[in-house]
Amino acid sequence: MAKEVVLSGIRPTGFLHLGNYFGAMRNYVRMQDEFDCYFFVANWHALTTHPDTQTLKAAVHRVIAENIACGLDPEKVCLYVQSDVPEIAELYLYLNTLAYKGELEKTTTFKDKSRQQPENINAGLLTYPVLQAADILIHRAVKVPVGKDQEQHLEMARTFAERFNHRYGDVLPLPYAFNYGGELTKILSLDGIGKMSKSENQLATLYLADEDDVIRKKIMKAKTDAGPSEPNSVKPDYIQNLFTLMNIVSTADTLEKFNADFNNSSSGNCIIRYGDMKKQLAEDMVQFIKPIRTKAADLQQNKELLEKIIQHGAQKARVSASATLQIVRKAILG
Ligand code: TRP
């Protein structure tokens, strides 16, 4: 039986961080043996918010290199750049006739972005979910690993596919968000305010490209407090976040020790030393990030190899995309 098609896109608008790793990339790596996977860099989408393209190509290369460094194998998955697959643009054109201005204007991300960039409310921003639907439907993907913030876009992709099928015949399978059932590991910002972010809270976000000393500095500055007032207290979220990180990068013994220290602490008898905990976490984090950073940096230096990988991805993607487009054209145009 043919494997189900998985697809996800990554905007090249900022540096990838630990939140991306645990929320997305680690899952992609897990999916690559089980499914027929397509992962791509959404550089057309980036134009809707980042019209200045001077650094775009380098950012695209970085995203590709970092994904490979995290364990994606370009021989197993199809890893490509959106703009290398013109078939997506043609499907986007057809889907645009199935999307209504009213529903696009009501989209949460459109409203947010319109507020953030009132001087540039371009039509690409309005039809962003249509392009995203084209990304997905061009490979007839059914499983789309994305976070909560993308669920509305997924729902719209289903709506457009349903309208297409209703009008032109049953051609497009309906895509659904997918993350192995469980909750994604959420990584908070080290200052305790919100999530780690590609562009905000940079001093409290751990990027996959951070140097060892930067990692140490950021972790040592992470928010803590005077310790729990009673034994076995519930951890405040910024403390829980340090334990979450430790759970990911440190040994079970280390985690166990600090957990026990926390649970045995109370006011007047504070056993847990957050300074020591952060020092240990920093060293373990350095060991975790270093190989990813080094591999990604090496690959970004090796332009020839990187270009070859990108071309190979584009070729594979276009085979699948043109097969879908052929069916779509026939259904619409006869
Ligand atoms: N909109 C997604 C984001 O901001 C990126 C994206 C573009 C995407 N096309 C996609 C995600 C297709 C999944 C499927 O993160």
Side-chain angles (χ1 to χ4, degrees):
M1 211 178 85
K3 289 181 181 171
E4 283 181 302
V5 178
V6 161
L7 171 138
S8 198
I10 310 143
R11 283 164 54 94
T13 53
F15 285 77
L16 294 176
H17 52 75
L18 272 195
N20 298 126
Y21 181 84
F22 293 107
M25 288 140 94
R26 194 176 57 161
N27 273 342
Y28 299 170
V29 172
R30 189 171 154 197
M31 288 168 195
Q32 65 186 344
D33 293 310
E34 229 173 301
F35 301 103
D36 186 7
C37 292
Y38 293 83
F39 298 113
F40 72 97
V41 188
N43 59 343
W44 279 338
H45 275 114
L47 297 177
T48 64
T49 51
H50 293 63
D52 181 358
T53 54
Q54 275 199 6
T55 56
L56 184 58
K57 189 164 179 178
V60 168
H61 283 185
R62 193 174 62 233
V63 171
I64 296 273
E66 286 181 331
N67 272 279
I68 293 171
C70 287
L72 271 197
D73 179 349
E75 289 301 320
K76 281 189 193 160
V77 306
C78 179
L79 184 61
Y80 64 99
V81 180
Q82 187 181 34
S83 62
D84 286 339
V85 185
E87 289 80 5
I88 299 166
E90 187 174 333
L91 182 57
Y92 171 51
L93 183 155
Y94 300 130
L95 295 177
N96 268 320
T97 66
L98 296 161
Y100 299 109
K101 174 169 164 277
E103 66 189 335
L104 295 171
E105 280 170 344
K106 270 193 270 171
T107 313
T108 309
T109 46
F110 176 69
K111 289 195 283 190
D112 288 348
K113 298 284 185 221
S114 301
R115 235 172 279 131
Q116 286 162 18
Q117 51 184 65
E119 73 302 336
N120 182 20
I121 306 178
N122 59 80
L125 207 54
L126 181 68
T127 56
Y128 184 113
V130 188
L131 180 56
Q132 182 160 344
D135 291 331
I136 299 167
L137 301 174
I138 198 73
H139 298 299
R140 284 168 283 174
V142 290
K143 287 184 155 60
V144 185
V146 284
K148 268 227 159 330
D149 64 323
Q150 294 296 312
E151 267 169 23
Q152 191 179 30
H153 289 166
L154 254 291
E155 200 179 309
M156 294 171 84
R158 280 198 297 281
T159 302
F160 303 148
E162 276 173 336
R163 284 184 199 149
F164 184 104
N165 291 343
H166 184 69
R167 205 174 284 178
Y168 302 115
D170 225 346
V171 169
L172 302 170
L174 305 184
Y176 290 88
F178 166 66
N179 281 304
Y180 285 120
E183 281 285 294
L184 293 175
T185 308
K186 278 213 179 56
I187 309 289
L188 300 185
S189 172
L190 295 170
D191 57 13
I193 307 167
K195 294 195 294 182
M196 286 199 181
S197 158
K198 276 183 181 173
S199 49
E200 295 156 47
N201 295 331
Q202 296 197 2
L203 293 175
T205 294
L206 294 166
Y207 296 96
L208 299 177
D210 278 347
E211 295 289 337
D212 295 353
D213 279 342
V214 175
I215 297 170
R216 291 192 183 99
K217 231 181 250 155
K218 286 179 176 175
I219 292 184
M220 293 316 290
K221 282 212 178 108
K223 175 173 175 172
T224 54
D225 52 30
S229 51
E230 289 169 31
N232 303 310
S233 292
V234 175
K235 298 182 178 97
D237 55 2
Y238 49 91
I239 297 294
Q240 178 56 50
N241 194 45
L242 295 180
F243 277 94
T244 301
L245 293 174
M246 195 164 239
N247 181 33
I248 289 164
V249 300
S250 304
T251 65
D253 286 354
T254 303
L255 179 68
E256 186 77 19
K257 174 202 156 10
F258 287 104
N259 231 337
D261 286 355
F262 180 90
N263 286 329
N264 291 325
S265 294
S266 54
S267 52
N269 181 30
C270 188
I271 295 168
I272 183 146
R273 295 185 180 276
Y274 288 129
D276 291 351
M277 180 177 176
K278 290 199 278 189
K279 245 188 227 154
Q280 181 68 49
L281 177 60
E283 289 319 309
D284 294 337
M285 189 60 75
V286 163
Q287 293 312 317
F288 180 83
I289 290 183
K290 193 205 286 275
I292 298 178
R293 180 189 68 226
T294 323
K295 186 162 182 205
D298 288 350
L299 202 51
Q300 284 173 86
Q301 296 284 314
N302 192 345
K303 291 267 173 271
E304 213 175 306
L305 177 59
L306 204 54
E307 291 290 354
K308 235 167 87 184
I309 291 171
I310 290 173
Q311 262 181 31
H312 176 66
Q315 269 170 11
K316 275 208 271 187
R318 291 194 69 183
V319 171
S320 156
S322 53
T324 303
L325 197 53
Q326 218 179 337
I327 303 169
V328 163
R329 280 181 168 192
K330 196 157 171 35
I332 302 179
L333 305 168

